Amino acid sequence: MKVARFHAPGDIRVEDAPEPAPGPGDVKIRVRNCSTCGTDVKIFKHGHHHIRPPRVMGHEIAGEVVETGAEVTGWAPGDRVQVIAAIPCGRCEECRRGRLTVCPDQESMGYHYDGGFAEYMVVPAKVLAVDGLNRIPDGVGFDEASVAEPLACVLNGQELARVGEGDDVVVLGAGPIGCLHVRLARSRGAGRVVLADLNPERLAMAAERVRPDETIGGAGVDMVDEVLKLTGGRGADVVITAAASGAAQEQALQMAARQGRISFFGGLPKDDPIIRLDSNLVHYRELTVVGANGSSPHHNAQALALIASGAVPVADLVTHRIPLTEVLDGIDTVARGVAIKVTVEP
């Protein structure tokens, strides 16, 4: 079979590999869609401390069961499935307290285990042990199901930021994650959703699909001032930084309303993670600043349900479909910001 393996920064190879065989507690699937994201770009450029090469990449995975291990029950060939990316251990103190997204022993598909940039892959028993293999609902395509993983992360972020009825929500960053934030905020009853991006072309492409109530974009635009104008000087109830930008995080604090919530959703580069945070804004406005780190298995199941119900449509966000042999072109397309969602169809 064909796989796309990471060997070193700047070195991803599409090459031949033997089909894997499932162990007693594993499930083997035929990968139908594995979508790409900005994390794949970062891995390609810089590697990752959890990846010991060579490693098959890809963590937004959907496919169908072709074989089950001798100890596996409840799954059969032909079952359509979506696979979690982040695998909590299910045993540590955080997991026992229900905090699966911050499990210190978490492992990941495409990092610790071979991922979905392959024709076939093995879903390890550890995924099944935490209910991380999800049935794809009827009427949901494999391409849509592959987007459940990033939507699950967005769902975790909005739960932590308590996005709810009537909120003015500002999303900073018009990539695929920003688009999902706009749609999920709508489904959670937000009163007005604003999408902002420095790149006017990217903003226009995203806004055409997700139809935010307002957009803010372009070089030289004062994002904070524009948000304050739109809200009559009050500021936004929730500000989500869906971009790896320290400047966006600093601006988010300045555009938040009193008792507003700020989600630092996009992580910053490891070599430049420090920002200037006005502590008095947090203190006097009673602001809440929260992080967001991935998703739990339950978030993935919820994301599939949201897609299936039509509450959060995702099919139109898949703008590029490529074969596995063109995965490097797909990663480059993501890096250039000229797509919403790129999906690989092995």
Side-chain angles (χ1 to χ4, degrees):
M1 67 171 185
K2 294 291 185 184
V3 301
R5 282 195 183 114
F6 172 86
H7 287 266
D11 184 7
I12 293 175
R13 306 174 202 169
V14 177
E15 51 197 8
D16 292 318
E19 280 190 29
D26 303 335
V27 169
K28 177 180 175 180
I29 70 170
R30 171 73 168 95
V31 180
R32 294 300 183 186
N33 282 89
C34 186
S35 293
T36 63
C37 73
T39 300
D40 295 322
V41 175
K42 287 189 283 188
I43 291 171
F44 174 64
K45 291 181 177 179
H46 308 293
H48 194 281
H49 64 284
H50 284 312
I51 295 180
R52 294 183 178 179
R55 173 66 71 207
V56 178
M57 290 176 57
H59 59 272
E60 299 182 6
I61 306 161
E64 58 190 332
V65 175
V66 294
E67 186 180 352
T68 61
E71 298 174 1
V72 173
T73 59
W75 299 100
D79 288 343
R80 300 185 331 126
V81 295
Q82 180 261 350
V83 186
I84 61 171
I87 314 165
C89 74
R91 301 181 303 272
C92 71
E93 185 65 21
E94 302 308 328
C95 285
R96 287 198 299 269
R97 290 171 179 254
R99 302 169 183 166
L100 278 68
T101 58
V102 290
C103 169
D105 300 316
Q106 175 180 289
E107 294 181 326
S108 299
M109 300 304 301
Y111 295 68
H112 303 85
Y113 302 95
D114 282 342
F117 289 162
E119 294 179 75
Y120 295 90
M121 61 168 283
V122 166
V123 180
K126 183 172 182 180
V127 169
L128 276 67
V130 294
D131 294 325
L133 189 62
N134 295 297
R135 295 186 190 277
I136 300 175
D138 292 342
V140 175
F142 289 114
D143 55 347
E144 296 172 283
S146 72
V147 184
E149 191 280 328
L151 177 56
C153 299
V154 167
L155 179 59
N156 178 44
Q158 293 206 13
E159 285 181 349
L160 290 165
R162 308 192 309 279
V163 176
E165 288 287 336
D167 282 337
D168 279 340
V169 178
V170 173
V171 180
L172 301 177
I177 290 295
C179 289
L180 290 171
H181 270 297
V182 170
R183 285 203 165 147
L184 182 62
R186 278 248 171 76
S187 77
R188 294 173 67 90
R192 178 168 46 173
V193 185
V194 179
L195 182 61
D197 199 290
L198 294 176
N199 183 329
E201 290 81 15
R202 186 175 180 85
L203 180 61
M205 178 173 58
E208 182 181 1
R209 285 170 170 79
V210 298
R211 299 292 180 185
D213 296 292
E214 303 283 352
T215 60
I216 302 172
V221 172
D222 187 327
M223 296 282 186
V224 175
D225 187 57
E226 291 299 314
V227 169
L228 293 177
K229 286 178 182 175
L230 285 172
T231 57
R234 178 175 175 269
D237 297 292
V238 181
V239 185
I240 299 166
T241 60
S245 167
Q249 292 184 352
E250 293 177 3
Q251 291 169 345
L253 287 156
Q254 298 168 38
M255 63 178 67
R258 286 165 174 76
Q259 292 196 348
R261 289 91 68 199
I262 299 100
S263 172
F264 285 177
F265 190 91
L268 300 186
K270 296 290 188 289
D271 60 352
D272 190 21
I274 308 300
I275 66 169
R276 290 178 59 85
L277 185 150
D278 187 337
S279 178
N280 278 341
L281 283 177
V282 177
H283 175 69
Y284 288 109
R285 294 187 187 178
E286 297 185 356
L287 302 179
T288 300
V289 181
V290 295
N293 176 45
S295 61
S296 70
H298 181 59
H299 286 127
N300 281 254
Q302 286 181 286
L304 281 169
L306 288 166
I307 294 168
S309 70
V312 182
V314 299
D316 62 330
L317 301 183
V318 179
T319 55
H320 293 65
R321 302 170 187 275
I322 59 171
L324 182 61
T325 52
E326 296 177 14
V327 67
L328 286 171
D329 291 336
I331 290 173
D332 178 65
T333 299
V334 174
R336 290 186 290 113
V338 295
I340 300 293
K341 201 68 181 166
V342 177
T343 193
V344 175
E345 298 179 331

